[in-house]
Amino acid sequence: MLFIGILAVMNILMCAPKFFDIAYEINPWMHTDNPVNPSLASTQWEELYNTYTKKLGWKVSLIEPEDGLPDMVFTANGGLVYGQKVVLPTFRQPDRQPETAKFETWFKSHGYSELHKPRYDFEGEGDALFWNDVLFAGFPWRSDKPGHAEIADFLGVRTVSLQLTDPRFYHLDTALTIVNETTVAVYPQAFSKESLKAIQSIVPTVINATDEDAVAYGLNSASDGKRIVIPEGAKNLQEKYRSLGLDVFPVPISEFQKSGGGVKCLTLFL
Ligand code: ARG
């Protein structure tokens, strides 16, 4: 992250929804009989892209979409980046496994020098979020807990494993938002008691999202610490953020939620 004045310039990787579709069902949101409206998906993705680039001045890089890889649009699962180091994804579902090679090629051709392929299942930033120097890592739906130590070792960071308990919130980034250096938001019901306690004991301010916020994918948001981009349906969370003094940018994500994705899933922090 680069600080200009008081605002951070975020570097992001996105992938246009050219081949985005519900071609298989690998989470409770996906139903092949509830197809994506391609032109609406494209409009919504562009609104997110324009919010990042034009309204917030964030820098967005793009990876070429690939025919037959409909979920590549969810770049959060494309890896976990820490300086020049990248932990590549090892997708649990065979349908998404060919994405790894695409992201690997992108990272290699963009100057990332140390790439690591974990032995255990690991779905990138979807299941691993930095809060200051702590790496919160989710399990068990898509990433394996034993892999967290391997990632901690490779990156040289402290990892805190968090157990997700609700299959609707199967990636960590669907149940937890990094808001700023003192604050995170969570959907408490998506975590085991111990994991919720762990978050509360580490982070000074933990905002609890309502059921309504969580179901609107409100936890799947992207923040630079002062400004937050959030699915438009998560009204309560938006109000809470405003009362904390954050600038809030609601965006529509209906087409991506059909696939179990939202703002953060479409975003990989570089
Ligand atoms: N359909 C995708 C899947 O189930 C959605 C991925 C959402 N990504 C995320 N970072 N939560 O894998």
Side-chain angles (χ1 to χ4, degrees), residues 3-25:
F3 285 92
I4 296 181
I6 51 161
L7 292 176
V9 176
M10 310 291 279
N11 266 306
I12 281 168
L13 180 64
M14 292 179 75
C15 177
K18 191 168 172 195
F19 304 108
F20 174 54
D21 200 1
I22 313 296
Y24 42 77
E25 301 179 0

Side-chain angles (χ1 to χ4, degrees), residues 120-269:
Y120 296 91
D121 288 349
F122 175 65
E123 298 205 352
E125 208 178 65
D127 263 332
L129 296 166
F130 277 104
W131 176 77
N132 298 323
D133 53 358
V134 176
L135 182 66
F136 286 121
F139 73 97
W141 304 111
R142 295 297 191 84
S143 299
D144 294 320
K145 188 181 178 192
H148 295 169
E150 186 190 357
I151 292 161
D153 223 41
F154 169 67
L155 296 179
V157 300
R158 172 183 164 211
T159 304
V160 175
S161 298
L162 299 176
Q163 183 178 9
L164 297 162
T165 53
D166 183 332
R168 292 173 303 165
F169 305 101
Y170 56 93
H171 279 137
L172 182 63
D173 70 358
T174 66
L176 183 145
T177 306
I178 305 298
V179 179
N180 60 33
E181 59 283 352
T182 58
T183 309
V184 302
V186 296
Y187 179 48
Q189 288 90 325
F191 292 93
S192 70
K193 277 201 185 93
E194 298 69 36
S195 294
L196 193 57
K197 268 197 204 135
I199 300 169
Q200 289 160 344
S201 72
I202 294 168
V203 183
T205 306
V206 179
I207 298 173
N208 288 329
T210 61
D211 295 349
E212 207 186 340
D213 288 325
V215 170
Y217 253 47
L219 280 314
N220 200 249
S221 296
S223 171
D224 67 5
K226 304 216 179 306
R227 302 168 301 174
I228 188 157
V229 185
I230 178 169
E232 64 181 359
K235 305 284 185 213
N236 302 303
L237 258 184
Q238 291 167 23
E239 257 335 287
K240 284 184 187 166
Y241 291 146
R242 286 192 189 98
S243 70
L244 286 177
L246 288 160
D247 276 338
V248 179
F249 297 79
V251 292
I253 52 127
S254 66
E255 296 318 291
F256 299 99
Q257 203 173 359
K258 290 177 180 171
S259 188
V263 169
K264 179 63 194 67
C265 304
L266 296 166
T267 308
L268 177 70
F269 292 122

Side-chain angles (χ1 to χ4, degrees), residues 23-75:
Y24 42 77
E25 301 179 0
I26 57 170
N27 69 52
W29 304 90
M30 299 175 86
H31 302 289
T32 49
D33 59 4
N34 184 28
V36 167
N37 172 335
S39 74
L40 186 55
S42 182
T43 308
Q44 293 180 343
W45 184 89
E46 263 157 39
E47 184 167 341
L48 181 64
Y49 177 87
N50 289 333
T51 301
Y52 286 162
T53 53
K54 296 192 179 134
K55 293 190 183 165
L56 303 179
W58 295 359
K59 189 174 172 290
V60 178
S61 302
L62 295 172
I63 181 170
E64 198 57 37
E66 194 73 27
D67 197 359
L69 298 178
D71 277 342
M72 225 183 125
V73 69
F74 300 115
T75 51

